[in-house]
Amino acid sequence: MTAYEKVLMARRKERPGIKEYIELLFDDFIELKGDQLGKEDGSILGGIAYFHSIPVTVIGHRKGKTTEENIACNFGMSSPEGYRKALRLMKQAEKFNRPIITFVDTPGAYPGVEAESNGQSIAIATAIAKMSALKTPIISIITGEGSSGGALAIAVADRVWMMENSIYTILSPEGFASILWKDAKMASRAAQMMKITAHDLKDMGLIDEILPEGKRAMTVLEERLDQELTLLMKIKPRTLVQKRYEKYRYIEGDYRPYKE
Amino acid sequence: MISEVLDKRKQRMERLKKIRSRTKVHCQISCPECKTEIHKAELRRIGEICPGCGYYYPMTPVERIRFLEDEKTFREMWKDLVSFDPLSFEGYGEKLKQLQEKTKHKDAVVCGIMKMEEIPVAVAVMDSRFMMGSMGTVVGEKICLLTEYAKRKKYPLLIFSASGGARMQEGLFSLMQMAKTAAAIEQFQKAGGFYLSVLTHPTTGGVSASFAALGDIVLAEPGALIGFAGPRVIEQTIGETLPEGFQRAEFLEEHGMVDKVVKREEMKSIITTLLKIHRKE
């Protein structure tokens, strides 16, 4: 499969969305809405649930399946209110020592007039900064499209996993091609050069693990979540934060900048 | 005999005249807005502001630092860091080489330590001439090194941003720099450090949505374009032309997204005051 075919796979409507993941992996999910600053953003779904017998906070992008849902969720493109809601729920999780599990699937943060006026940059920056220091375990799973700062805003985690046909990228291959060659039709070539597939990113050490899709997907995911949550919950909060800091601080691994 | 001497003298005078006129053309710069001509040295002295219309010439990091520091107190750090070119991206290596020669810097940010009215400050200035000031691994690493240094030394941190966003040629490595720099700033601030962020033209994308937005105090230069998405992308998405002044520093101030728009003429004195107020003895 070429990189661009993976992009198309990652965007398929038939892929499981946040609702399916919640239904199949968690019990007693209760949705919690709003940023408590004046708005509810449907493009991010959040709430609390049980994973096996552990209370957890679940947050994820929601794209919707039908056209009506798509519009209600703005196709998974969040506004500042969405990121502020996500952060509010994460802080709540920290207070009650609940691990956080996030599901990432977004074409990017919403590029709109209102989103900009309401501080898109600040909302994303704050979410990223605060997540880096949250004293509770965080696992992020890229399930479809993980695109730009809009993805990262809920994906600064102790473990970052990717479904095998998902992508994680700085911007869409179409956007990349139109900036670099002024031609969005070169997206296929761009996708190849950008190294955005789960396998490329795992090879470069930017993500921790690739999860299989298909029939076994949910079973494997459930098993891995169980193992890693058990492990992460044993680590002292201070150590956890320190390790998360170091993970991102030295994320380039062998590709670090060097002295000429 | 006399005529020979006079001749030579005349020739010499003409040569000199030629050189002078060439130098004059070379040192004279004309404003892109109002065409007012001014000598480069004079322009530098008054902070790269057009005396005719108030237009702000883009400032290189060195010019910016010279304008702010107590004379000759700036010491550059980590200046030899270069990108690994992690994706082995076609043409990227050559482009870096060209820009390194042109700007005399290795990447899009200059970091170091300087004094302002005797107060030591950890300072970073981004360079919009270097691939639009985009943030790749080198910019991210240097901002982190500086932030960690400021934390250890208990110095205030001052960052002038100017960036089109994350550097595409380094792919997801660039996106990760947002997490890396934001995490460093978070630790710095939690330890009680004072971070003053100044947004200059333009500050967009991954830089505006990471360390640049996180200042304890955020200042902006008048007219600077500041936002997450670029205006062209927004226009394409909503299919409308944008209102005038949208995403400019004044617009952000009006919407409560920056603390204060500060004229370049007043920048030095405001920064100095803020540094004094946050000084720890």
Side-chain angles (χ1 to χ4, degrees):
Chain A
M1 211 186 310
T2 68
Y4 197 62
E5 281 166 350
K6 288 244 175 184
V7 174
L8 298 177
M9 279 280 273
R11 288 178 183 160
R12 280 181 57 168
K13 272 195 177 174
E14 295 75 21
R15 287 178 80 77
I18 175 90
K19 280 196 169 165
E20 284 83 1
Y21 284 106
I22 288 174
E23 216 175 279
L24 293 165
L25 295 168
F26 304 97
D27 300 312
D28 298 337
F29 177 74
I30 298 170
E31 184 180 355
L32 303 172
K33 293 183 182 178
D35 64 352
Q36 299 192 344
L37 292 163
K39 243 189 173 167
E40 155 65 8
D41 182 347
S43 69
I44 287 183
L45 175 70
I48 37 184
Y50 280 110
F51 176 76
H52 296 173
S53 57
I54 312 163
V56 293
T57 289
V58 185
I59 296 166
H61 297 105
R62 174 167 50 185
K63 283 181 169 173
K65 300 272 177 190
T66 63
T67 311
E68 217 168 63
E69 282 174 5
N70 289 155
I71 292 166
C73 311
N74 202 19
F75 298 85
M77 292 183 284
S78 309
S79 292
E81 298 80 19
Y83 302 118
R84 287 178 182 135
K85 168 171 76 175
L87 182 57
R88 179 176 79 82
L89 298 181
M90 289 191 226
K91 284 186 166 167
Q92 182 192 69
E94 181 185 44
K95 178 179 173 188
F96 297 104
N97 299 313
R98 281 196 293 267
I100 300 164
I101 299 156
T102 72
F103 294 88
V104 180
D105 185 15
T106 177
Y110 183 58
V113 173
E114 205 184 304
E116 291 289 322
S117 312
N118 292 347
Q120 188 71 290
S121 291
I122 299 180
I124 294 173
T126 311
I128 294 171
K130 297 293 172 196
M131 266 188 108
S132 75
L134 275 186
K135 293 191 192 83
T136 195
I138 311 172
I139 297 178
S140 289
I141 304 139
I142 321 284
T143 61
E145 271 180 293
S147 203
S148 96
L152 187 65
I154 63 164
V156 181
D158 302 301
R159 300 283 185 272
V160 180
W161 299 341
M162 284 178 78
M163 301 308 287
E164 64 176 315
N165 294 317
S166 67
I167 56 163
Y168 195 6
T169 170
I170 190 162
L171 81 167
S172 72
E174 290 82 2
F176 190 96
S178 70
I179 293 173
L180 208 59
W181 303 300
K182 312 265 175 272
D183 184 3
K185 292 189 197 82
M186 304 271 281
S188 170
R189 180 159 171 231
Q192 194 64 38
M193 291 171 81
M194 291 166 76
K195 307 226 166 91
I196 55 180
T197 65
H199 289 278
D200 281 339
L201 296 170
K202 176 78 174 61
D203 284 347
M204 296 189 295
L206 295 178
I207 60 151
D208 300 301
E209 205 168 312
I210 302 171
L211 295 164
E213 293 187 15
K215 276 185 197 153
R216 285 173 54 241
M218 290 296 170
T219 330
V220 174
L221 181 52
E222 190 172 349
E223 204 179 288
R224 290 297 297 129
L225 277 175
D226 187 53
Q227 289 164 351
E228 288 302 304
L229 281 181
T230 316
L231 198 86
L232 291 171
M233 285 170 76
K234 281 187 197 141
I235 303 173
K236 273 193 212 133
R238 265 186 64 183
T239 318
L240 194 69
V241 170
Q242 182 63 28
K243 283 193 166 176
R244 195 181 306 137
Y245 183 77
E246 282 164 13
K247 174 186 169 74
Y248 286 94
R249 182 67 184 80
Y250 305 109
I251 194 146
E252 300 86 3
D254 295 341
Y255 303 95
R256 266 171 74 183
Y258 60 96
K259 269 189 191 166
E260 199 176 61
Chain B
M1 187 67 183
I2 289 183
S3 74
E4 231 175 69
V5 170
L6 280 178
D7 247 16
K8 268 197 174 165
R9 198 171 154 186
K10 210 171 155 190
Q11 276 172 12
R12 210 163 55 218
M13 288 299 282
E14 255 165 32
R15 261 208 319 270
L16 211 66
K17 235 188 201 167
K18 234 188 200 164
I19 292 170
R20 276 203 188 127
S21 71
R22 223 186 306 153
T23 325
K24 190 180 168 201
V25 170
H26 196 66
C27 288
Q28 211 67 12
I29 184 164
S30 119
C31 172
E33 293 286 327
C34 72
K35 310 287 174 233
T36 301
E37 291 207 346
I38 183 169
H39 194 275
K40 266 189 176 173
E42 176 63 9
L43 188 65
R44 194 174 312 138
R45 197 184 61 77
I46 58 174
E48 310 285 323
I49 305 161
C50 171
C53 67
Y55 168 79
Y56 288 174
Y57 286 87
M59 277 173 121
T60 66
V62 172
E63 284 166 349
R64 179 77 69 179
I65 288 161
R66 292 280 167 269
F67 186 64
L68 297 171
E69 64 169 349
D70 295 350
E71 209 174 330
K72 292 186 178 152
T73 53
F74 177 70
R75 189 161 55 78
E76 189 175 351
M77 294 159 92
W78 312 290
K79 67 175 179 189
D80 295 325
L81 279 188
V82 291
S83 170
F84 193 93
D85 186 4
L87 305 187
S88 305
F89 197 90
E90 202 184 301
Y92 180 45
E94 293 85 79
K95 183 142 199 200
L96 285 176
K97 282 261 145 46
Q98 277 172 18
L99 281 163
Q100 285 165 355
E101 254 166 52
K102 189 184 151 202
T103 63
K104 310 280 178 245
H105 297 298
K106 300 288 184 200
D107 214 293
V109 71
V110 172
C111 297
I113 172 109
M114 66 175 181
K115 281 186 179 171
M116 288 181 77
E117 294 205 9
E118 303 285 306
I119 305 171
V121 194
V123 63
V125 183
M126 299 189 75
D127 191 344
S128 61
R129 297 169 306 165
F130 203 108
M131 297 186 81
M132 279 301 290
S134 57
M135 170 163 68
T137 50
V138 175
V139 170
E141 180 73 17
K142 283 171 85 170
I143 293 289
C144 281
L145 284 166
L146 184 73
T147 307
E148 289 171 340
Y149 175 80
K151 184 177 165 222
R152 271 199 313 277
K153 293 278 191 180
K154 300 200 186 326
Y155 289 160
L157 177 66
L158 170 63
I159 303 181
F160 281 81
S161 295
S163 174
R167 186 168 296 169
M168 302 195 314
Q169 290 83 347
E170 295 187 21
L172 203 71
F173 283 92
S174 298
L175 193 74
M176 293 301 128
Q177 303 310 309
M178 292 172 70
K180 181 171 150 172
T181 54
I185 298 283
E186 176 72 12
Q187 294 304 322
F188 172 75
Q189 289 174 325
K190 276 196 160 173
F194 173 56
Y195 167 32
L196 177 55
S197 171
V198 185
L199 313 178
T200 69
H201 182 72
T203 300
T204 60
V207 167
S208 86
S210 62
F211 64 86
L214 296 168
D216 292 293
I217 291 178
V218 181
L219 307 177
E221 271 198 344
L225 180 77
I226 301 160
F228 181 62
R232 220 163 34 115
V233 178
I234 299 173
E235 279 184 343
Q236 277 167 11
T237 311
I238 62 170
E240 288 169 37
T241 48
L242 296 166
E244 199 169 320
F246 178 66
Q247 291 186 315
R248 297 288 164 180
E250 296 74 12
F251 176 91
L252 268 89
E253 190 186 47
E254 204 175 295
H255 283 80
M257 298 302 157
V258 297
D259 284 293
K260 190 173 172 60
V261 176
V262 178
K263 286 187 189 153
R264 204 178 267 179
E265 298 91 310
E266 292 159 7
M267 192 61 86
K268 187 174 177 174
S269 81
I270 296 237
I271 291 176
T272 313
T273 308
L274 287 171
L275 292 177
K276 281 182 185 163
I277 288 172
H278 292 88
R279 178 157 49 181
K280 285 178 225 163
E281 291 307 333

